[in-house]
Amino acid sequence: MHLNDADEPLRLLEHITRFRDQTQAYLNGDLSEEEFRPLRLLHGLYRLRETTMLRVAAPQGRLSSEQLRRLARIARDYGLGEVHLTTRQTIQFSGPAIAAVPQILAELAEVGLSSFLTSGNGIRGIVVDPLAGLAADELEDPRPWHVILDQWRQTHPLMGQLPRKFKIAIHGARTDRVTLAAQDLGLELVRDARGELGFRVLVGGGLGRGPQLAQELTPFVHWPHLLTWIEAILRVYARDGRQSDPYKSRLKNLVQRLSLVEFRARVESEWASLRDGPATLTPPQAERAARPFADAPADDPVFAATTVAAPAPNESPEYLAWRQQNVQPHKRAGRAIVTLSTKHPGVAPGNLSPEQLERIADWAATESRDEVRLTPNQNLLLTQVREDRLFALWEDVRAFGLDGPHRSLLTDLVACPGARKCDLAHGDSLGLAAAIQTRFANAEDVRDIGPLDLRISGCVNACAHHNLAHIGIRGLRKQGESRYQILIGGRLGREARLAEPLGPSFAADEVPEAVAGLIALYRRHRQAGETFDATVQRLGTEPFRAIVTGAADAAHQETPHD
């Protein structure tokens, strides 16, 4: 198999040149809307009722200062306003003119960014652990394997031709920070009893209609066979997964129809003809992919151990709260990982202005070895911050509104763009997020509540992963009006669990108080040191259902009827 980084710029240019011609043909009337649709989706371009949206991938979930500045420049030059960070380590522009998109893609390609395969019925962007190479609990760095998979999918013959979209995530740590069980294909780096490196493979997860958690297809695939195993999975899916109803054509639907046992048998039968074939990986390929991610030597002056500065005389409770919540330990002494929070009152979760992007680019260059990373919680990470620089950095971050000490708390809520930007959404996710942030504006109160994952999706498609949240909220439409259903008891990570709907739906202005009722019940019944999630598991969902049902009944009685 041929894998070569040098091929990527040329390949990108070829895609963009072809798409420029296709776009011009569409604008000239030589391609119909139906003919143009799969072509634009292949390049991450959505056409909505009143606007457009362009989705751009961040390679390995990372952005350099140059790439951040280019994103800012494009947003400003083309009048696109704020960019939006998604839960899958991508960036979205709203409103580009279709005629301008090929030029935007060319400008992105100059700095190594692309929108190719961020949409459509193919292998979409591959999510990787945002703490890859940084966390002490990591067993193996997944980034080299991400590079191999990403290059492989770019020229795969089935790209854009699968029954539906196909999502992959990969990690190599004790903590699952990408929730493999939510993916069409989840890959966990493991070692067998002989110490050989390989992958535990999960299949059939998905969070849209009929959410399912992925199941273990095999506990171990030796690393040389990674691509041939995935090829076998894709061939079975392409052959057997297509249905007349597109909503029943995801891989999870096929696994459910066949049973895991039968699906595994078909994959193993397909793999028998692929084993040891041209797509078998070799040690030189693996070594070449790993080379860019090798740790700097211990004597690298950039990584020299630092002496942690004494507390500054102006240290404040706000700084201490930020340091406690938004600063994580690095595996190297004297270094820290800093979360830049996009969650700020009056700002949509995940949104960043061109000015903020440019300032983040400065921090990436001066504080983080020219790197920021995107997280599944719509935040960013500075990954290499010297501990003696934390206070000065906080003062700078605070001036740009990215200092919110929210990480893992209720106010670190995740929300999709909702009905303001998406045709499919029934609810205003961003408006509801703002209302909940206002309801829980007291920082001390939020810290007292403790870790709580709250997610808001505008529709059943679950772009914010509401059905894996401790408290999930989903927009729906009833009798022509936007309503919201509350779910409870979900969990991300290695012990992933689907949230359970609590029954009634609410108007938007009723949701914050319904959430407050759930949290009040938790506070009344929690034991010492017990989190919201643990209390829900101990008590079960019925007490919380009663709270929500009671709130819905009260709201119903107060609502005038014709």
Side-chain angles (χ1 to χ4, degrees), residues 151-330:
Q151 288 189 20
W152 174 74
R153 77 184 178 105
Q154 297 285 339
T155 55
H156 194 281
L158 289 173
M159 68 178 184
Q161 304 300 318
L162 294 173
R164 285 294 306 281
K165 56 190 174 184
F166 192 90
K167 299 179 179 180
I168 302 175
I170 180 171
H171 82 83
R174 292 183 178 87
T175 304
D176 178 355
R177 286 174 279 264
V178 293
T179 309
L180 296 183
Q183 317 296 329
D184 294 278
L185 177 65
L187 300 170
E188 179 183 6
L189 280 154
V190 294
R191 290 191 179 272
D192 66 8
R194 297 175 300 173
E196 293 288 334
L197 183 66
F199 295 85
R200 174 175 173 252
V201 181
L202 284 72
V203 295
L207 301 179
R209 297 170 188 270
Q212 297 286 331
L213 295 181
Q215 303 175 70
E216 184 180 277
L217 183 68
T218 177
F220 187 81
V221 171
H222 193 207
W223 68 264
H225 303 303
L226 174 64
L227 297 185
T228 53
W229 258 86
I230 298 176
E231 177 71 29
I233 292 168
L234 291 177
R235 287 189 181 187
V236 173
Y237 177 41
R239 184 186 67 221
D240 302 332
R242 205 173 304 275
Q243 298 289 304
S244 57
D245 182 351
Y247 294 116
K248 296 180 180 179
S249 295
R250 289 290 298 274
L251 182 65
K252 65 183 180 183
N253 304 118
L254 177 61
V255 173
Q256 193 173 33
R257 282 199 306 273
L258 294 178
S259 82
L260 180 66
V261 172
E262 175 60 22
F263 181 78
R264 182 187 293 120
R266 295 189 186 190
V267 169
E268 289 175 344
S269 175
E270 195 72 43
W271 186 62
S273 64
L274 297 168
R275 182 173 184 170
D276 300 325
T280 303
L281 292 169
T282 65
Q285 288 172 328
E287 290 164 8
R288 188 187 62 80
R291 203 170 297 133
F293 306 109
D295 282 340
D299 60 355
D300 184 336
V302 178
F303 268 125
T306 60
T307 301
V308 178
N314 294 327
E315 252 181 20
S316 63
E318 290 86 357
Y319 168 69
L320 295 175
W322 174 82
R323 180 157 181 166
Q324 177 182 359
Q325 210 64 43
N326 285 27
V327 178
Q328 300 175 72
H330 194 288

Side-chain angles (χ1 to χ4, degrees), residues 452-464:
L452 197 159
D453 184 36
L454 190 149
R455 293 166 178 264
I456 308 169
S457 296
C459 71
V460 71
N461 287 299
C463 290

Side-chain angles (χ1 to χ4, degrees), residues 41 111 128 138 195 214 216 219 246 250 252 260-261 276 284 327 351 374 379 391 427 449 460 496 500:
L41 288 176
V111 295
V128 68
E138 185 171 83
E216 184 180 277
R250 289 290 298 274
K252 65 183 180 183
L260 180 66
V261 172
D276 300 325
V327 178
N351 279 20
L374 281 62
N379 294 320
F391 185 78
I449 294 168
V460 71
E500 182 179 332

